[in-house]
Amino acid sequence: MNRTQLSQLAVLASVAAHRSFRAAARELAIAPSAVSHAISSLEESLGVRLLARTTRSVAPTEEGRRLLDRLRPALDEIGIAVDAAIETRDRPAGNLRITAPRFASDVLLGPRLGDFLNLYPDITLEIANEDGFIDIVEQGFDAGIRFEESLEADMIAVRFSSDLRTVIAGSPEYFQRYPRPLHPRDLAQHRCIKRRFTNGTIYRWEFEKDGRELVVAIDGPLIVSEDRLSLLATLNGAGLGYLFDIRVMNELAEGKLIRVLEDWCPPYPGPFLYYPSRRQMRPALRAFIDFFKVSG
């Protein structure tokens, strides 16, 4: 059976129920001639006469009745499914897939997930942690969370975090062995924890002061693939870490980490949530954006 036959079968069921081509046309909001054409085409493709027609009446043939008896439960299920879709079009529900870097999941999403899911109990939220840029359309995600420089121009972006600042920090034990750097070039004398992105590149630390930008290729004994391990290693004295301020506020306040080069680390925009189109946005995605977005 092809898709054309499915629509023709729906027309057949309507004609049989109303015993009238015109009444079926009114119900289906199509022309009577379109109803007649659909029935004729279906009968021709099946090689079976399905309706007996006179000038006064229309009724299923024996073959038509047998077909409709088998067909009616399936059409009823389709109707139920369509009604359910219409019923939920304004209600946040269903599966919602989001791709996000691990730090965004840990720091921005994690602390509020319970509140969101309790507020919208009909949403099933899936979060996939991936630091590299994802084609959300190709990969079947509803939205992604990334920094602005990673976003494609055709994506709609929503602020998902307040401004961030980089924190260069080490443990008190580390600074008992090494002097505090006063300039980014001093990092050449330090053990720095390196970060390898999913594309294979090692991140070079970025700095800015008074409009002057500086990129430093650091070196050290440890390479990690995500910032949570970098934080743990920094706390353990393995070297200097390049961290997000929202990740280490407590550690700095408690003296577990000592911050350096702060004047070379100005604020910059935090991550954005991006998605392909506002057209017919799913209520679940709208609820997610409204709940987590940063106002202003």
Side-chain angles (χ1 to χ4, degrees), residues 90-262:
D90 297 321
R91 177 170 59 87
N95 294 333
L96 184 65
R97 302 187 70 224
I98 306 293
T99 170
R102 186 176 297 277
F103 98 90
S105 296
D106 289 351
V107 179
L108 301 178
L109 296 178
R112 304 184 66 196
L113 284 178
D115 292 338
F116 174 76
L117 294 173
N118 289 329
L119 183 61
Y120 299 106
D122 295 320
I123 292 177
T124 299
L125 179 62
E126 177 184 348
I127 300 171
N129 291 137
E130 171 63 55
D131 288 335
F133 181 76
I134 292 293
D135 185 331
I136 56 177
V137 175
E138 180 181 346
Q139 297 296 323
F141 289 97
D142 293 281
I145 301 171
R146 295 294 186 275
F147 285 106
E148 189 174 17
E149 62 267 19
S150 301
L151 304 185
E152 299 291 342
D154 60 348
M155 289 291 159
I156 298 169
V158 178
R159 283 292 299 269
F160 205 71
S161 164
S162 56
D163 286 351
L164 300 180
R165 292 189 71 180
T166 297
V167 171
I168 310 299
S171 68
E173 294 74 19
Y174 178 86
F175 286 117
Q176 290 176 3
R177 294 180 286 126
Y178 296 92
R180 300 187 186 190
L182 303 177
H183 189 279
R185 60 173 169 263
D186 297 338
L187 294 173
Q189 310 304 317
H190 282 267
R191 295 159 65 87
C192 298
I193 298 171
K194 297 184 283 187
R195 172 78 177 276
R196 188 185 299 278
F197 289 138
T198 52
N199 63 7
T201 61
I202 297 290
Y203 178 65
R204 299 195 299 168
W205 291 8
E206 299 177 62
F207 300 93
E208 182 180 342
K209 183 177 181 180
D210 300 328
R212 178 190 174 196
E213 297 180 357
L214 187 63
V215 178
V216 178
I218 47 86
D219 198 10
L222 178 64
I223 303 173
V224 299
S225 61
E226 51 99 4
D227 71 311
R228 182 164 48 183
L229 182 55
S230 180
L231 170 58
L232 293 174
T234 303
L235 287 167
N236 197 239
L240 294 181
Y242 188 95
L243 307 162
F244 296 111
D245 58 351
I246 57 174
R247 173 77 92 176
V248 297
M249 290 295 190
N250 291 337
E251 289 79 1
L252 292 172
E254 295 168 2
K256 295 178 181 179
L257 290 178
I258 297 172
R259 188 174 190 171
V260 295
L261 300 176
E262 185 172 357

Side-chain angles (χ1 to χ4, degrees), residues 21 28 38 49 100 121 197 200 240 278:
F21 279 69
L28 299 172
R49 189 164 182 81
F197 289 138
L240 294 181
R278 286 191 178 93

